[in-house]
Amino acid sequence: MKLLKQAALFLLFLGMGTYPLFAQVKPIFENGEAQIIPELKDSANWIRTDLWVETEFDTDGDGKKDRMHVDVTRPMQTETEGLKLPVVYASSPYYAGTAGSAPIFWEVKHELGAPAPPRNKFEVVRTGGRPIISNSEIMLWVPRGYIVVHSSSPGTGLSQGSPTVGGDNESLAPKAVIEWLTGKDNGYTTPDGNEKVYAFWSTGKVGMTGTSYNGTLPLAAATTGVKGLEAIIPIAPNTSYYHYYRSNGLVRSPGGYPGEDIDVLYDFIHSGDESKRAYNNKTVRDTEMAQGMDRASGDYNDFWAGRDYLNDMGPMKAALLMSHGFNDWNVMPEHSYRIYDAARAKGIPAKIYYHQNGHGGPPPFAMMNQWFTKYLHGVDNGAEEGPKAYIVRERDEQSNPTPYADFPNPQASPVSFYLSAGAPAAGGMGLEKMTSGKQETLVDNYSFPGSALAQADYTEHRLLYLSPVLTEPVHISGIPKITVKIASNKPAANLSVWLVSLPWTEGRNAKITDNIITRGWADPQNHASIRKGEPLVPEKFYEVSFDLQPDDQIIAAGQQIGLMIFSSDAEFTILPKPGTELTIDLDGTVLTLPVVGGKAALEKAVK
């Protein structure tokens, strides 16, 4: 009887999170990084459980607070030895399946401002074994002395609620999970029951990471200022749904997905309870989104402002390691930079890693390891010190970035380029401002993709202006800016700008950095306000100023920097019937590049 009583007391201690002091396993650190712990390597000795965490919201209209489905993977020693460990947490709307390649996108071939034909709606068929949500992150972190936690986003998988694609519940859901990991009693063994479950094995230190949408959610959670979220590593995160689906007033698709929009993404991820979908669809997709997304004008409004995490950063304090590709034309590189820039201005520990490839791509694992070791294990490894930016140079491996004091490179300064006539061939681009009184006209035709327009010797469908051939490499670092003085013969027109490196390189070994430097898009109707476009007066000139995408690229000697101005971009914009004419006033048009070494370096390279 005495032994039974002692065993009962021990189990009670476990349930309360109080342990005898006999833990044998301890984390191992070398060179500021968590190392694989021999006793934690065998996955057969890991405990995997699932549970539901109650949130503070009800978004599926059933009158009960939504609960998020959570899975936990932890070493056996957290049960047998009283071992407590920090948590690496990943959340996603994708874990239970998506719409895949279902034809649910908007039609993009129609006149600007005109309604598109109704698109197809779609219901996701939920997939995936249970109770396990995901295996991501587990093999990396559990053997190194972490517990790994996953959760499905609201309205996906076995999580209750509704997707909102950037709405408040997608920030509050991971917040609730983190609160549970730091001691709150909002965990339950079932989605509807009252039996509690506690995270007694957690130290209360949590880090989040993920890629794309899964990289957005760490930032979403961090903007709540939730206690216990110490560090985040967002990889290619979408930090503003306006910047994802619009550009300076222009309706613009993410690269590779013409016709995608926020309501399409809603359908793509809505894998939750089938009985709740009709209410969710009516409330979110067919009301809030339908009334707010304004696909007709592309103007910024309160709907979009509420889905921009830059507007929510006041409470944020989690240490930030950002990662992105400069040639990510899906979630474009501005998404990471705008948050990094705001975080460092707030004094939050922050670093940024950029590579030269496309969507995705984490920082080197050692960098991630040091970041989590510093902020979750509390090891004073200097992870926050030293260079703030790590840039993978054009021909280097992603595992071998070059450190810089910061991004943009502090040695970069703006240099202006001015234009000289040359259409339908190529005009010039020089450093001295001249007054020519010249105007040049292009004719919109989406049938010609941007790559073909850049390579054409003669075409009326774009205007191209070239620098002299570079005699030395030119290093661009920062955000190029352009002002275009433009007139249209119609009340609405697309405006697309590519910055290219010529001659164009073809072949198997060509990299995107060989040809495309950066790009940008704008609606001339929004020349005065991003919130309110106005029809263009035909043949009247307007001054349109906007940023191109951030970049850090070294343009090789022997190349020419080319500014290409055209109208509809076959890869990104709405595609109206060809024939719109855009006229550019050369004297009122200027390109400003952030050049390392400034004007002196550029003059040396073009003399």
Side-chain angles (χ1 to χ4, degrees), residues 108-112 441-454 456 458-463 489-490 492-496 498 564-582:
V108 296
K109 292 182 179 179
H110 61 81
E111 295 306 301
L112 299 178
T441 298
L442 64 92
V443 180
D444 184 24
N445 191 335
Y446 67 81
S447 302
F448 299 90
S451 58
L453 294 176
Y458 297 88
T459 176
E460 65 177 355
H461 302 305
R462 58 91 176 113
L463 299 175
N489 69 339
K490 294 183 180 179
N494 293 317
L495 175 59
S496 302
W498 285 19
M564 184 170 73
I565 301 172
F566 60 119
S567 186
S568 299
D569 188 327
E571 298 177 58
F572 295 95
T573 69
I574 300 296
L575 305 178
K577 183 179 178 180
T580 300
E581 295 183 0
L582 295 183

Side-chain angles (χ1 to χ4, degrees), residues 237-287:
N238 182 342
T239 66
S240 163
Y241 284 92
Y242 185 83
H243 288 76
Y244 189 56
Y245 291 118
R246 307 288 184 266
S247 182
N248 302 297
L250 194 75
V251 176
R252 187 208 64 206
S253 305
Y257 303 94
E260 186 186 332
D261 213 322
I262 194 167
D263 61 335
V264 175
L265 185 53
Y266 170 95
D267 277 355
F268 186 76
I269 65 173
H270 193 191
S271 61
D273 185 347
E274 290 83 356
S275 70
K276 303 294 178 62
R277 293 189 191 179
Y279 175 89
N280 295 346
N281 292 345
K282 179 180 178 181
T283 304
V284 178
R285 184 191 66 195
D286 301 332
T287 301

Side-chain angles (χ1 to χ4, degrees), residues 21 40 59 75 86 111 127 133 160 181 250 269 292-293 322-323 381 390 397 408 436 487 493 510 544 563 600-601:
L21 300 177
L40 305 189
T59 51
E111 295 306 301
T127 63
I133 295 175
Q160 298 170 348
L181 291 168
L250 194 75
I269 65 173
M293 58 190 281
M322 299 293 283
S323 177
N381 60 9
Y390 290 81
E397 297 295 325
S436 68
V544 184
L563 169 65

Side-chain angles (χ1 to χ4, degrees), residues 482-505:
I482 190 165
T483 294
V484 182
K485 193 170 182 181
I486 187 171
S488 170
N489 69 339
K490 294 183 180 179
N494 293 317
L495 175 59
S496 302
V497 171
W498 285 19
L499 201 63
V500 296
S501 179
L502 297 177
W504 195 274
T505 302

